[in-house]
Amino acid sequence: MAKKTAHDDPLASVTLAVGQEELLLDRAVQEVVAAARAADADTDVRDLTSDQLQPGTLAELTSPSLFAERKVVVVRNAQDLSADTVKDVKAYLGAPAEEITLVLLHAGGAKGKGLLDAARKAGAREVACPKMTKPAERLAFVRGEFRTLGRSATPEACQALVDAIGSDLRELASAASQLCADVEGTIDEAVVGRYYTGRAEASSFEVADRAVEGRAAEALEALRWSLSTGVAPVLITSALAQGVRAIGKLSSARGGRPADLARELGMPPWKIDRVRQQMRGWTPEGVAVAMRAVAEADAGVKGGGDDPEYALEKAVVTIARAARSRRG
């Protein structure tokens, strides 16, 4: 989500949007245009690239109108403006016209820094639009999207969406919007799985989750449904292996906050919390038994046995039983 200055008025004389995240830059422009058209439906919007803003063009666009119309002038890639045009913009910053909002989109950095500094010194409203390179930033963005849309989504759902879609903010925003339009109530990980990670993957992990929680009947039901819908057995053994391995890794780790354990074990913090809940009935012996069961099932579905379905059912029952070993 773009960060704004404390005195945030979309109708300020000058808005400076700084950064390289195209979606956030576009949203900064859209916010100004929407505010201007809310104040005057006939607002004239001029959206220009740096090469279209030639010396004298800004003066022409901002000259007084006979009808005193409201106008928004958008200048993209302002860091690439020619030296003569930069002089025009700096002069305008010193005496902006009424009923006109100038929006400068600047990549930041050393190129064109003189214009950037001049706009800030003139008191421009600033919107930060940095490129989101870290997973945590994209996760925060998705959470913000759901909040903006007035919907509730679980932390697991937000993480699953980031994992499924990747780093493109436009695609993440579109996916969040689509989920809100199609799904009622709280958006959870299962919903995201159905829409974006694929039915096979979602159902495989459903089997694994129920098995490591010791819920044998539900795990078997999920297994049979998965197989009946064409899920490859190898995907299910992979999910079972990941589930049991996570139990083993967390049970052998030293205590600590989810964030610290996440760094140590290579899991997201929300998964640490989930695995902690799942591992309550496990013992080290149970983990060893479950890992052997997974290995046997994996061999069975890859040609080592006559009946892959039976191999999976046997593994699921063994894992579910191991999950209750501490409870006797």
Side-chain angles (χ1 to χ4, degrees), residues 218-279:
E218 294 177 38
L220 286 170
E221 181 181 355
L223 171 63
R224 288 160 187 156
W225 182 87
S226 297
L227 293 173
S228 71
T229 56
V231 176
V234 69
L235 291 179
I236 299 174
T237 55
S238 176
L240 289 171
Q242 290 184 49
V244 175
R245 195 177 299 118
I247 296 288
K249 289 170 69 175
L250 190 55
S251 63
S252 62
R254 61 180 183 273
R257 298 178 304 168
D260 296 331
L261 288 170
R263 285 192 293 271
E264 180 184 344
L265 302 178
M267 300 180 190
W270 64 264
K271 189 168 185 179
I272 297 292
D273 292 333
R274 169 185 285 183
V275 176
R276 272 179 169 165
Q277 294 175 352
Q278 293 175 333
M279 63 183 283

CSV table of all heavy atoms in Angstrom, one decimal, residues 218-279:
chain,number,residue,atom,x,y,z
A,218,GLU,N,-11.8,-38.3,8.8
A,218,GLU,CA,-11.8,-37.2,7.9
A,218,GLU,C,-10.7,-37.3,6.9
A,218,GLU,O,-10.9,-36.9,5.7
A,218,GLU,CB,-11.8,-35.9,8.7
A,218,GLU,CG,-13.0,-35.7,9.6
A,218,GLU,CD,-12.8,-34.4,10.4
A,218,GLU,OE1,-12.3,-33.4,9.9
A,218,GLU,OE2,-13.2,-34.4,11.6
A,219,ALA,N,-9.6,-37.7,7.3
A,219,ALA,CA,-8.4,-37.9,6.4
A,219,ALA,C,-8.7,-38.9,5.3
A,219,ALA,O,-8.4,-38.7,4.1
A,219,ALA,CB,-7.2,-38.2,7.2
A,220,LEU,N,-9.3,-40.0,5.7
A,220,LEU,CA,-9.7,-41.0,4.7
A,220,LEU,C,-10.8,-40.5,3.8
A,220,LEU,O,-10.7,-40.8,2.6
A,220,LEU,CB,-10.2,-42.3,5.4
A,220,LEU,CG,-9.1,-43.1,6.1
A,220,LEU,CD1,-9.7,-44.2,7.0
A,220,LEU,CD2,-8.1,-43.7,5.1
A,221,GLU,N,-11.7,-39.8,4.3
A,221,GLU,CA,-12.8,-39.2,3.4
A,221,GLU,C,-12.2,-38.3,2.4
A,221,GLU,O,-12.5,-38.3,1.2
A,221,GLU,CB,-13.8,-38.5,4.3
A,221,GLU,CG,-14.9,-37.9,3.5
A,221,GLU,CD,-15.9,-37.2,4.3
A,221,GLU,OE1,-15.8,-37.2,5.6
A,221,GLU,OE2,-16.9,-36.6,3.8
A,222,ALA,N,-11.2,-37.4,2.9
A,222,ALA,CA,-10.6,-36.5,2.0
A,222,ALA,C,-9.7,-37.2,1.0
A,222,ALA,O,-9.6,-36.8,-0.2
A,222,ALA,CB,-9.7,-35.5,2.8
A,223,LEU,N,-9.1,-38.3,1.4
A,223,LEU,CA,-8.2,-39.1,0.5
A,223,LEU,C,-9.1,-39.7,-0.6
A,223,LEU,O,-8.7,-39.6,-1.8
A,223,LEU,CB,-7.5,-40.2,1.3
A,223,LEU,CG,-6.8,-41.2,0.5
A,223,LEU,CD1,-5.6,-40.6,-0.3
A,223,LEU,CD2,-6.3,-42.3,1.4
A,224,ARG,N,-10.2,-40.3,-0.2
A,224,ARG,CA,-11.0,-40.9,-1.3
A,224,ARG,C,-11.6,-39.9,-2.2
A,224,ARG,O,-11.7,-40.2,-3.4
A,224,ARG,CB,-12.1,-41.7,-0.6
A,224,ARG,CG,-11.6,-43.0,0.1
A,224,ARG,CD,-12.5,-43.5,1.2
A,224,ARG,NE,-11.9,-44.6,1.9
A,224,ARG,CZ,-12.2,-45.0,3.1
A,224,ARG,NH1,-13.1,-44.4,3.8
A,224,ARG,NH2,-11.6,-46.0,3.7
A,225,TRP,N,-12.0,-38.8,-1.7
A,225,TRP,CA,-12.5,-37.7,-2.6
A,225,TRP,C,-11.4,-37.3,-3.6
A,225,TRP,O,-11.6,-37.1,-4.8
A,225,TRP,CB,-13.0,-36.5,-1.8
A,225,TRP,CG,-13.6,-35.5,-2.7
A,225,TRP,CD1,-14.9,-35.4,-3.1
A,225,TRP,CD2,-12.9,-34.3,-3.2
A,225,TRP,NE1,-15.1,-34.3,-3.9
A,225,TRP,CE2,-13.9,-33.6,-4.0
A,225,TRP,CE3,-11.6,-33.8,-3.1
A,225,TRP,CZ2,-13.5,-32.4,-4.6
A,225,TRP,CZ3,-11.3,-32.7,-3.8
A,225,TRP,CH2,-12.3,-32.0,-4.5
A,226,SER,N,-10.2,-37.1,-3.1
A,226,SER,CA,-9.1,-36.6,-3.9
A,226,SER,C,-8.8,-37.6,-5.0
A,226,SER,O,-8.7,-37.2,-6.2
A,226,SER,CB,-7.8,-36.4,-3.0
A,226,SER,OG,-8.0,-35.4,-2.1
A,227,LEU,N,-8.7,-38.9,-4.6
A,227,LEU,CA,-8.4,-39.9,-5.7
A,227,LEU,C,-9.6,-40.0,-6.7
A,227,LEU,O,-9.3,-40.2,-7.9
A,227,LEU,CB,-8.2,-41.2,-5.0
A,227,LEU,CG,-7.0,-41.3,-4.1
A,227,LEU,CD1,-7.0,-42.7,-3.3
A,227,LEU,CD2,-5.7,-41.2,-4.9
A,228,SER,N,-10.8,-39.8,-6.2
A,228,SER,CA,-11.9,-39.9,-7.2
A,228,SER,C,-12.0,-38.8,-8.2
A,228,SER,O,-12.6,-38.9,-9.2
A,228,SER,CB,-13.3,-40.0,-6.4
A,228,SER,OG,-13.6,-38.7,-5.8
A,229,THR,N,-11.4,-37.6,-7.8
A,229,THR,CA,-11.4,-36.5,-8.7
A,229,THR,C,-10.1,-36.4,-9.5
A,229,THR,O,-9.8,-35.4,-10.2
A,229,THR,CB,-11.5,-35.2,-7.9
A,229,THR,OG1,-10.5,-35.1,-6.9
A,229,THR,CG2,-12.9,-35.1,-7.2
A,230,GLY,N,-9.3,-37.5,-9.4
A,230,GLY,CA,-8.1,-37.5,-10.3
A,230,GLY,C,-6.8,-37.0,-9.8
A,230,GLY,O,-5.8,-36.8,-10.5
A,231,VAL,N,-6.7,-36.7,-8.5
A,231,VAL,CA,-5.5,-36.3,-7.9
A,231,VAL,C,-4.4,-37.4,-8.0
A,231,VAL,O,-4.7,-38.5,-7.6
A,231,VAL,CB,-5.7,-35.8,-6.4
A,231,VAL,CG1,-4.3,-35.4,-5.8
A,231,VAL,CG2,-6.7,-34.7,-6.4
A,232,ALA,N,-3.2,-37.0,-8.4
A,232,ALA,CA,-2.2,-38.0,-8.5
A,232,ALA,C,-1.7,-38.5,-7.2
A,232,ALA,O,-1.5,-37.7,-6.3
A,232,ALA,CB,-1.0,-37.4,-9.3
A,233,PRO,N,-1.6,-39.8,-6.9
A,233,PRO,CA,-1.2,-40.3,-5.6
A,233,PRO,C,0.1,-39.7,-5.1
A,233,PRO,O,0.3,-39.5,-3.9
A,233,PRO,CB,-1.1,-41.8,-5.8
A,233,PRO,CG,-2.1,-42.1,-6.9
A,233,PRO,CD,-2.0,-40.9,-7.8
A,234,VAL,N,1.0,-39.4,-6.1
A,234,VAL,CA,2.3,-38.9,-5.7
A,234,VAL,C,2.2,-37.5,-5.0
A,234,VAL,O,3.0,-37.2,-4.1
A,234,VAL,CB,3.3,-38.9,-6.9
A,234,VAL,CG1,2.8,-37.8,-7.9
A,234,VAL,CG2,4.7,-38.6,-6.4
A,235,LEU,N,1.2,-36.7,-5.4
A,235,LEU,CA,1.0,-35.5,-4.8
A,235,LEU,C,0.5,-35.6,-3.3
A,235,LEU,O,0.9,-34.8,-2.5
A,235,LEU,CB,-0.1,-34.6,-5.5
A,235,LEU,CG,0.3,-34.1,-6.9
A,235,LEU,CD1,-0.9,-33.4,-7.5
A,235,LEU,CD2,1.5,-33.2,-6.8
A,236,ILE,N,-0.2,-36.7,-3.1
A,236,ILE,CA,-0.7,-36.9,-1.7
A,236,ILE,C,0.4,-37.4,-0.8
A,236,ILE,O,0.6,-36.9,0.3
A,236,ILE,CB,-1.9,-37.9,-1.7
A,236,ILE,CG1,-3.0,-37.4,-2.6
A,236,ILE,CG2,-2.3,-38.2,-0.3
A,236,ILE,CD1,-4.2,-38.3,-2.8
A,237,THR,N,1.3,-38.3,-1.3
A,237,THR,CA,2.4,-38.7,-0.5
A,237,THR,C,3.4,-37.5,-0.2
A,237,THR,O,3.9,-37.4,0.9
A,237,THR,CB,3.2,-39.8,-1.1
A,237,THR,OG1,3.6,-39.4,-2.5
A,237,THR,CG2,2.4,-41.1,-1.2
A,238,SER,N,3.5,-36.6,-1.2
A,238,SER,CA,4.3,-35.4,-1.0
A,238,SER,C,3.8,-34.5,0.1
A,238,SER,O,4.5,-34.1,1.0
A,238,SER,CB,4.4,-34.6,-2.3
A,238,SER,OG,5.2,-33.4,-2.1
A,239,ALA,N,2.5,-34.3,0.1
A,239,ALA,CA,1.8,-33.5,1.1
A,239,ALA,C,1.9,-34.2,2.5
A,239,ALA,O,2.2,-33.5,3.5
A,239,ALA,CB,0.4,-33.3,0.8
A,240,LEU,N,1.8,-35.5,2.5
A,240,LEU,CA,1.9,-36.2,3.8
A,240,LEU,C,3.3,-36.1,4.4
A,240,LEU,O,3.5,-35.8,5.6
A,240,LEU,CB,1.6,-37.7,3.6
A,240,LEU,CG,0.1,-38.0,3.4
A,240,LEU,CD1,0.0,-39.5,3.0
A,240,LEU,CD2,-0.7,-37.8,4.6
A,241,ALA,N,4.3,-36.2,3.5
A,241,ALA,CA,5.7,-36.1,3.9
A,241,ALA,C,6.0,-34.7,4.4
A,241,ALA,O,6.6,-34.5,5.5
A,241,ALA,CB,6.6,-36.3,2.7
A,242,GLN,N,5.5,-33.6,3.8
A,242,GLN,CA,5.7,-32.3,4.3
A,242,GLN,C,5.0,-32.1,5.6
A,242,GLN,O,5.6,-31.4,6.5
A,242,GLN,CB,5.1,-31.3,3.3
A,242,GLN,CG,5.9,-31.2,2.0
A,242,GLN,CD,5.4,-30.1,1.0
A,242,GLN,OE1,5.1,-29.0,1.4
A,242,GLN,NE2,5.1,-30.5,-0.2
A,243,GLY,N,3.8,-32.6,5.8
A,243,GLY,CA,3.1,-32.5,7.1
A,243,GLY,C,3.9,-33.1,8.2
A,243,GLY,O,4.0,-32.5,9.3
A,244,VAL,N,4.3,-34.4,8.0
A,244,VAL,CA,5.0,-35.1,9.1
A,244,VAL,C,6.4,-34.4,9.3
A,244,VAL,O,6.8,-34.3,10.5
A,244,VAL,CB,5.2,-36.6,8.7
A,244,VAL,CG1,6.0,-37.3,9.8
A,244,VAL,CG2,3.8,-37.2,8.6
A,245,ARG,N,7.0,-34.0,8.3
A,245,ARG,CA,8.4,-33.4,8.4
A,245,ARG,C,8.3,-32.1,9.2
A,245,ARG,O,9.1,-31.8,10.0
A,245,ARG,CB,9.0,-33.1,7.0
A,245,ARG,CG,10.5,-32.8,7.0
A,245,ARG,CD,11.0,-32.6,5.6
A,245,ARG,NE,10.9,-33.9,4.9
A,245,ARG,CZ,10.1,-34.0,3.8
A,245,ARG,NH1,9.5,-32.9,3.3
A,245,ARG,NH2,10.1,-35.1,3.1
A,246,ALA,N,7.2,-31.3,9.0
A,246,ALA,CA,7.0,-30.1,9.7
A,246,ALA,C,6.8,-30.4,11.2
A,246,ALA,O,7.4,-29.7,12.1
A,246,ALA,CB,5.8,-29.3,9.2
A,247,ILE,N,6.1,-31.4,11.5
A,247,ILE,CA,5.9,-31.8,12.9
A,247,ILE,C,7.3,-32.2,13.6
A,247,ILE,O,7.6,-31.7,14.7
A,247,ILE,CB,5.0,-33.1,13.0
A,247,ILE,CG1,3.6,-32.7,12.5
A,247,ILE,CG2,4.9,-33.6,14.5
A,247,ILE,CD1,2.8,-31.8,13.4
A,248,GLY,N,8.1,-33.0,12.8
A,248,GLY,CA,9.4,-33.4,13.3
A,248,GLY,C,10.3,-32.2,13.5
A,248,GLY,O,11.0,-32.1,14.5
A,249,LYS,N,10.3,-31.3,12.6
A,249,LYS,CA,11.2,-30.1,12.7
A,249,LYS,C,10.9,-29.2,13.8
A,249,LYS,O,11.8,-28.8,14.6
A,249,LYS,CB,11.2,-29.3,11.4
A,249,LYS,CG,11.9,-30.0,10.2
A,249,LYS,CD,11.6,-29.3,8.9
A,249,LYS,CE,12.3,-27.9,8.8
A,249,LYS,NZ,12.0,-27.3,7.4
A,250,LEU,N,9.6,-29.0,14.0
A,250,LEU,CA,9.2,-28.1,15.1
A,250,LEU,C,9.4,-28.7,16.5
A,250,LEU,O,9.7,-28.1,17.4
A,250,LEU,CB,7.7,-27.6,14.9
A,250,LEU,CG,7.3,-26.5,15.8
A,250,LEU,CD1,8.2,-25.3,15.7
A,250,LEU,CD2,5.8,-26.1,15.5
A,251,SER,N,9.1,-30.0,16.5
A,251,SER,CA,9.2,-30.7,17.8
A,251,SER,C,10.6,-30.8,18.3
A,251,SER,O,10.9,-30.9,19.5
A,251,SER,CB,8.6,-32.1,17.8
A,251,SER,OG,9.3,-32.9,16.8
A,252,SER,N,11.6,-30.8,17.4
A,252,SER,CA,13.0,-30.8,17.8
A,252,SER,C,13.6,-29.5,17.9
A,252,SER,O,14.8,-29.4,18.3
A,252,SER,CB,13.8,-31.7,16.8
A,252,SER,OG,13.7,-31.1,15.5
A,253,ALA,N,12.9,-28.4,17.6
A,253,ALA,CA,13.5,-27.0,17.6
A,253,ALA,C,13.3,-26.5,19.1
A,253,ALA,O,12.5,-26.9,19.8
A,253,ALA,CB,12.7,-26.1,16.7
A,254,ARG,N,14.2,-25.6,19.4
A,254,ARG,CA,14.1,-25.0,20.7
A,254,ARG,C,13.0,-24.0,20.7
A,254,ARG,O,12.6,-23.5,19.7
A,254,ARG,CB,15.4,-24.2,21.0
A,254,ARG,CG,15.8,-23.1,20.1
A,254,ARG,CD,17.1,-22.5,20.5
A,254,ARG,NE,17.5,-21.4,19.6
A,254,ARG,CZ,18.1,-21.5,18.5
A,254,ARG,NH1,18.5,-22.6,18.1
A,254,ARG,NH2,18.4,-20.4,17.8
A,255,GLY,N,12.5,-23.7,21.9
A,255,GLY,CA,11.3,-22.8,22.0
A,255,GLY,C,11.6,-21.4,21.5
A,255,GLY,O,12.8,-21.0,21.5
A,256,GLY,N,10.6,-20.7,21.2
A,256,GLY,CA,10.9,-19.3,20.8
A,256,GLY,C,9.6,-18.7,20.2
A,256,GLY,O,8.6,-19.4,20.0
A,257,ARG,N,9.7,-17.5,19.8
A,257,ARG,CA,8.6,-16.8,19.1
A,257,ARG,C,8.5,-17.4,17.7
A,257,ARG,O,9.4,-17.8,17.1
A,257,ARG,CB,8.9,-15.3,19.0
A,257,ARG,CG,9.0,-14.6,20.4
A,257,ARG,CD,9.3,-13.1,20.2
A,257,ARG,NE,10.5,-13.0,19.4
A,257,ARG,CZ,10.9,-11.8,18.8
A,257,ARG,NH1,10.1,-10.7,19.0
A,257,ARG,NH2,12.0,-11.7,18.1
A,258,PRO,N,7.2,-17.3,17.2
A,258,PRO,CA,7.0,-17.8,15.8
A,258,PRO,C,8.0,-17.2,14.8
A,258,PRO,O,8.4,-17.9,13.9
A,258,PRO,CB,5.5,-17.5,15.5
A,258,PRO,CG,4.9,-17.5,16.9
A,258,PRO,CD,6.0,-16.9,17.8
A,259,ALA,N,8.2,-15.9,14.9
A,259,ALA,CA,9.1,-15.3,13.9
A,259,ALA,C,10.5,-15.8,14.0
A,259,ALA,O,11.2,-16.0,13.0
A,259,ALA,CB,9.1,-13.8,14.2
A,260,ASP,N,11.0,-16.1,15.2
A,260,ASP,CA,12.4,-16.6,15.4
A,260,ASP,C,12.4,-18.1,14.8
A,260,ASP,O,13.4,-18.5,14.1
A,260,ASP,CB,12.8,-16.6,16.9
A,260,ASP,CG,12.9,-15.2,17.4
A,260,ASP,OD1,13.2,-14.3,16.6
A,260,ASP,OD2,12.6,-15.0,18.6
A,261,LEU,N,11.4,-18.9,15.2
A,261,LEU,CA,11.4,-20.2,14.7
A,261,LEU,C,11.2,-20.3,13.2
A,261,LEU,O,11.7,-21.2,12.5
A,261,LEU,CB,10.2,-21.0,15.4
A,261,LEU,CG,10.4,-21.3,16.8
A,261,LEU,CD1,9.1,-21.8,17.5
A,261,LEU,CD2,11.5,-22.4,17.0
A,262,ALA,N,10.4,-19.3,12.6
A,262,ALA,CA,10.2,-19.3,11.2
A,262,ALA,C,11.6,-19.1,10.5
A,262,ALA,O,11.8,-19.8,9.5
A,262,ALA,CB,9.3,-18.1,10.8
A,263,ARG,N,12.4,-18.2,11.0
A,263,ARG,CA,13.7,-18.0,10.4
A,263,ARG,C,14.6,-19.3,10.5
A,263,ARG,O,15.3,-19.7,9.6
A,263,ARG,CB,14.4,-16.8,11.0
A,263,ARG,CG,13.9,-15.5,10.6
A,263,ARG,CD,14.8,-14.3,11.1
A,263,ARG,NE,14.8,-14.2,12.5
A,263,ARG,CZ,13.9,-13.5,13.2
A,263,ARG,NH1,13.0,-12.8,12.5
A,263,ARG,NH2,14.0,-13.4,14.5
A,264,GLU,N,14.5,-19.9,11.7
A,264,GLU,CA,15.3,-21.1,11.9
A,264,GLU,C,14.9,-22.3,11.1
A,264,GLU,O,15.8,-23.0,10.6
A,264,GLU,CB,15.2,-21.5,13.4
A,264,GLU,CG,16.1,-22.7,13.8
A,264,GLU,CD,15.9,-23.1,15.3
A,264,GLU,OE1,15.4,-22.3,16.1
A,264,GLU,OE2,16.2,-24.2,15.6
A,265,LEU,N,13.6,-22.5,10.9
A,265,LEU,CA,13.1,-23.7,10.3
A,265,LEU,C,12.7,-23.4,8.8
A,265,LEU,O,12.4,-24.4,8.1
A,265,LEU,CB,11.9,-24.2,11.0
A,265,LEU,CG,12.1,-24.6,12.5
A,265,LEU,CD1,10.9,-25.1,13.2
A,265,LEU,CD2,13.2,-25.6,12.6
A,266,GLY,N,12.7,-22.2,8.4
A,266,GLY,CA,12.4,-21.9,7.0
A,266,GLY,C,10.9,-22.0,6.7
A,266,GLY,O,10.5,-22.4,5.6
A,267,MET,N,10.1,-21.7,7.7
A,267,MET,CA,8.6,-21.7,7.6
A,267,MET,C,8.1,-20.3,7.8
A,267,MET,O,8.7,-19.6,8.6
A,267,MET,CB,7.9,-22.7,8.6
A,267,MET,CG,8.3,-24.1,8.5
A,267,MET,SD,7.4,-25.0,9.8
A,267,MET,CE,8.2,-26.6,9.8
A,268,PRO,N,6.9,-19.9,7.2
A,268,PRO,CA,6.3,-18.7,7.5
A,268,PRO,C,5.7,-18.7,9.0
A,268,PRO,O,5.4,-19.8,9.4
A,268,PRO,CB,5.2,-18.5,6.5
A,268,PRO,CG,4.9,-19.9,6.0
A,268,PRO,CD,6.2,-20.7,6.1
A,269,PRO,N,5.7,-17.6,9.7
A,269,PRO,CA,5.2,-17.6,11.1
A,269,PRO,C,3.8,-18.2,11.2
A,269,PRO,O,3.6,-18.9,12.2
A,269,PRO,CB,5.2,-16.1,11.4
A,269,PRO,CG,6.3,-15.5,10.6
A,269,PRO,CD,6.2,-16.3,9.3
A,270,TRP,N,2.9,-18.0,10.3
A,270,TRP,CA,1.6,-18.6,10.4
A,270,TRP,C,1.6,-20.1,10.4
A,270,TRP,O,0.8,-20.7,11.1
A,270,TRP,CB,0.6,-18.1,9.3
A,270,TRP,CG,1.0,-18.5,7.9
A,270,TRP,CD1,1.7,-17.8,7.0
A,270,TRP,CD2,0.7,-19.7,7.3
A,270,TRP,NE1,1.8,-18.5,5.9
A,270,TRP,CE2,1.2,-19.7,6.0
A,270,TRP,CE3,-0.1,-20.8,7.7
A,270,TRP,CZ2,1.1,-20.7,5.1
A,270,TRP,CZ3,-0.2,-21.9,6.8
A,270,TRP,CH2,0.4,-21.8,5.5
A,271,LYS,N,2.6,-20.7,9.7
A,271,LYS,CA,2.6,-22.1,9.6
A,271,LYS,C,3.2,-22.7,11.0
A,271,LYS,O,2.8,-23.8,11.4
A,271,LYS,CB,3.5,-22.6,8.5
A,271,LYS,CG,3.5,-24.1,8.3
A,271,LYS,CD,4.1,-24.5,6.9
A,271,LYS,CE,3.9,-26.0,6.7
A,271,LYS,NZ,4.5,-26.4,5.4
A,272,ILE,N,4.1,-21.9,11.6
A,272,ILE,CA,4.6,-22.3,12.9
A,272,ILE,C,3.4,-22.5,13.9
A,272,ILE,O,3.3,-23.5,14.6
A,272,ILE,CB,5.6,-21.3,13.5
A,272,ILE,CG1,6.8,-21.2,12.6
A,272,ILE,CG2,6.0,-21.6,14.9
A,272,ILE,CD1,7.7,-22.4,12.6
A,273,ASP,N,2.5,-21.5,13.9
A,273,ASP,CA,1.3,-21.6,14.8
A,273,ASP,C,0.5,-22.8,14.5
A,273,ASP,O,0.0,-23.5,15.4
A,273,ASP,CB,0.5,-20.3,14.7
A,273,ASP,CG,1.3,-19.1,15.2
A,273,ASP,OD1,2.1,-19.3,16.1
A,273,ASP,OD2,1.0,-17.9,14.8
A,274,ARG,N,0.3,-23.0,13.2
A,274,ARG,CA,-0.6,-24.2,12.8
A,274,ARG,C,0.0,-25.5,13.2
A,274,ARG,O,-0.6,-26.4,13.8
A,274,ARG,CB,-0.8,-24.2,11.3
A,274,ARG,CG,-1.5,-25.5,10.8
A,274,ARG,CD,-1.6,-25.6,9.3
A,274,ARG,NE,-2.7,-24.7,8.9
A,274,ARG,CZ,-3.0,-24.6,7.6
A,274,ARG,NH1,-2.4,-25.3,6.7
A,274,ARG,NH2,-4.0,-23.9,7.2
A,275,VAL,N,1.3,-25.6,12.9
A,275,VAL,CA,2.0,-26.9,13.3
A,275,VAL,C,2.0,-27.1,14.8
A,275,VAL,O,1.9,-28.2,15.3
A,275,VAL,CB,3.4,-27.0,12.7
A,275,VAL,CG1,4.2,-28.2,13.1
A,275,VAL,CG2,3.4,-26.9,11.1
A,276,ARG,N,2.2,-26.0,15.5
A,276,ARG,CA,2.1,-26.2,17.0
A,276,ARG,C,0.8,-26.8,17.5
A,276,ARG,O,0.8,-27.6,18.4
A,276,ARG,CB,2.3,-24.8,17.6
A,276,ARG,CG,3.8,-24.4,17.9
A,276,ARG,CD,3.9,-23.1,18.5
A,276,ARG,NE,5.3,-22.8,19.0
A,276,ARG,CZ,5.7,-21.6,19.3
A,276,ARG,NH1,4.9,-20.5,19.2
A,276,ARG,NH2,7.0,-21.4,19.7
A,277,GLN,N,-0.2,-26.4,16.8
A,277,GLN,CA,-1.5,-26.9,17.2
A,277,GLN,C,-1.6,-28.4,16.8
A,277,GLN,O,-2.2,-29.2,17.5
A,277,GLN,CB,-2.7,-26.1,16.5
A,277,GLN,CG,-2.8,-24.7,17.0
A,277,GLN,CD,-3.8,-23.9,16.3
A,277,GLN,OE1,-4.3,-24.3,15.3
A,277,GLN,NE2,-4.1,-22.7,16.7
A,278,GLN,N,-1.1,-28.7,15.6
A,278,GLN,CA,-1.2,-30.1,15.1
A,278,GLN,C,-0.3,-31.1,15.9
A,278,GLN,O,-0.6,-32.3,15.9
A,278,GLN,CB,-0.8,-30.1,13.6
A,278,GLN,CG,-1.7,-29.4,12.7
A,278,GLN,CD,-1.3,-29.3,11.3
A,278,GLN,OE1,-0.1,-29.3,11.0
A,278,GLN,NE2,-2.2,-29.2,10.3
A,279,MET,N,0.8,-30.6,16.5
A,279,MET,CA,1.7,-31.5,17.1
A,279,MET,C,1.4,-31.9,18.5
A,279,MET,O,2.2,-32.6,19.2
A,279,MET,CB,3.2,-30.9,17.0
A,279,MET,CG,3.3,-29.6,17.8
A,279,MET,SD,5.0,-28.9,17.6
A,279,MET,CE,5.9,-30.0,18.7
